[in-house]
Amino acid sequence: MKIAIVGSGYVGLVSGVCLAHIGHQVICVDNNLDKIKTLKKGQLPIYEPGLLELMHEGVRKKRLTFSSSIGEATRKSQVIFLAVPTPPKPNGDADLTYVENVARQIAQHMDAYKLIVEKSTVPAETGKKIRRTIHLNLAKKFKNGSKLLLDFDVASNPEFLKEGTAVHDFMNPDRIVIGVESKQAEQLLKEIYKPLKPKILVTNIASAEMIKHASNSFLATKISFINATAQICDRVGADVLKVAEGMGLDKRIGRQFLDAGVGYGGSCFPKDVDAFIRVSEKSGYDFSLLKEVRRVNENQRHWFVRLVEEKIWNIKDKTIGVLGLAFKPNTDDIRNASALEIIHLLQAEEAKIRVFDPQAMGNARKILKDVVFCENAYAVAEGCDCLLLLTEWPEFKELDFGQIRDVMQQTVIFDGRNFLDGGHLRNIGFDYYGAGRGKSL
Ligand code: UGA
């Protein structure tokens, strides 16, 4: 199948590379010329495990190309996926300007039947608006009032991949959701995904759009639920790890997304929860549950800073080491990372900050001011009054904490992800504090 993916960010690039891997002819498009140059040189603008190898394979087998021209991509493809950004506006609404612009350009260059598929996370009814934009532009192009000479379909096919495991998630989906208005669109999308032998759910476009919003918001709700529970665990002497384990054994609940800590971040959950709150408001429903999910998440970062203050006394002039900056492990993405907000809160109280992250240092240098960037975790620890573990990179588990202890000023560790072996750390002389671990360690 000849496919174009407009937008070469995380979702677009992973989708494009993986669709080429399963046998399709794919053009990845982006209006950022530097990004296209980088891709044409065989390099990736992002860090995502396993993606580079598959990209090279696609290029070698001549199934994957890169372009900055929506016109070229539209003419050469039958199916066009939209994976452009939908950033939040100040009021939380998703900004759909990119989606509209791309839809308009596709209409201008269409020369035969096309299936236009939204992959970006968009509010319900965006499909309708894309359809109308294309309709209006086609009518103008052929100067024939509203009578259409070219047939096209719009569909919704939300993506559920996670950064850090994106390639694996794409190739092994729990489900593929297809929101369509015609049999032709349904068949084309089923054909595209056939090699993955997935469980496919076919529905209308609005339901597909809602499934994506509701799924991300539900996962965020799970995280805020366990974080609120962790607050109580701390007060009553329970261990949230055991509580999550016990809850997770119930198949109806499941253990995933019950890891308490410094809260969720990234480019999706914060933005999507905000957008879903706005979608609900506009539809006339006050989704106050989701507002509370957001509040609990924000509170976790403030709670963590207060915990640090309680245990090391004054924050002013203390040297604080931070291990992990990315919003989660196995990515270099720091968008809405809990680590960044915690660092800003500590800097507001005049702490001196030292940081290390295995992949996110480049991105962090563009944003963090007045911090010492260290070459590894041992260098971070030098002279510190305490260490904060804010991203659970597997390699942090392998650190020699005896060596770290010996170079610190005060041996206090705050584990914002409940990731380290607290019992061992206490045995070798650390004051160890997790989130919701009570007095159970
Ligand atoms: C999320 C969804 O999981 C994907 O299904 C979805 O496709 C994607 O958003 C998207 O909309 O594009 P992602 O943002 O890559 O994926 O990352 P997650 O693994 O979901 O983690 C999000 C945040 O929640 C991270 O900051 C992570 O540390 C935090 N988290 C996750 C917790 O604090 N506790 C948990 O138990 C799980």
Side-chain angles (χ1 to χ4, degrees), residues 243-317:
V243 175
E245 190 184 339
M247 287 170 67
L249 286 170
D250 184 330
K251 288 194 187 70
R252 293 168 305 173
I253 299 175
R255 173 63 183 80
Q256 290 187 61
F257 283 70
L258 287 180
D259 290 320
V262 285
Y264 60 77
S267 65
C268 302
F269 285 176
K271 167 175 81 75
D272 291 352
V273 168
D274 280 357
F276 203 28
I277 289 171
R278 289 288 297 153
V279 167
S280 324
E281 268 168 13
K282 283 185 179 168
S283 76
Y285 178 72
D286 179 10
F287 208 151
S288 52
L289 173 64
L290 273 189
K291 292 181 187 162
E292 192 56 18
V293 165
R294 179 171 64 185
R295 195 196 62 77
V296 168
N297 196 57
E298 282 161 9
N299 181 54
Q300 282 308 104
R301 287 119 183 233
H302 290 271
W303 158 79
F304 194 71
V305 171
R306 296 281 67 87
L307 178 70
V308 172
E309 183 183 48
E310 185 188 314
K311 303 300 178 191
I312 68 164
W313 202 3
N314 301 299
I315 288 178
K316 186 169 188 288
D317 293 335

Side-chain angles (χ1 to χ4, degrees), residues 26-27 40 84 114 152 168 206 234 238 260 269 276 281 298 314 320 326 338 341 350 364 372-373 393 402 434:
V26 180
I27 308 179
K40 282 186 171 170
V84 293
K114 305 286 169 188
F152 73 95
H168 175 269
D234 259 339
F269 285 176
F276 203 28
E281 268 168 13
E298 282 161 9
N314 301 299
I320 298 181
S338 300
E341 193 178 338
E350 298 181 50
V372 180
F373 291 94
W393 283 95

Side-chain angles (χ1 to χ4, degrees), residues 11 121 159-164 212 216 219 223 226-227 255-269 272 327-329 338 392 417:
V11 170
T121 305
E159 184 49 61
F160 299 102
L161 57 81
K162 303 184 289 301
E163 290 181 25
K212 173 68 188 189
N216 271 8
L219 291 170
I223 299 171
I226 200 68
N227 278 330
R255 173 63 183 80
Q256 290 187 61
F257 283 70
L258 287 180
D259 290 320
V262 285
Y264 60 77
S267 65
C268 302
F269 285 176
D272 291 352
F327 82 98
K328 67 173 190 177
S338 300
E392 67 278 33
R417 300 288 180 179

Side-chain angles (χ1 to χ4, degrees), residues 47-103:
Y47 170 77
E48 183 61 42
L51 189 59
L52 191 67
E53 296 76 3
L54 282 195
M55 180 176 95
H56 288 165
E57 176 206 83
V59 172
R60 204 174 50 246
K61 292 189 171 167
K62 300 198 177 353
R63 292 208 289 250
L64 183 63
T65 54
F66 305 100
S67 168
S68 55
S69 163
I70 292 184
E72 180 199 356
T74 303
R75 284 188 296 274
K76 287 187 177 166
S77 313
Q78 185 174 22
V79 181
I80 305 158
F81 286 90
L82 309 190
V84 293
T86 53
K89 292 193 211 169
N91 67 359
D93 278 349
D95 180 348
L96 300 172
T97 321
Y98 296 114
V99 177
E100 183 184 343
N101 283 344
V102 172

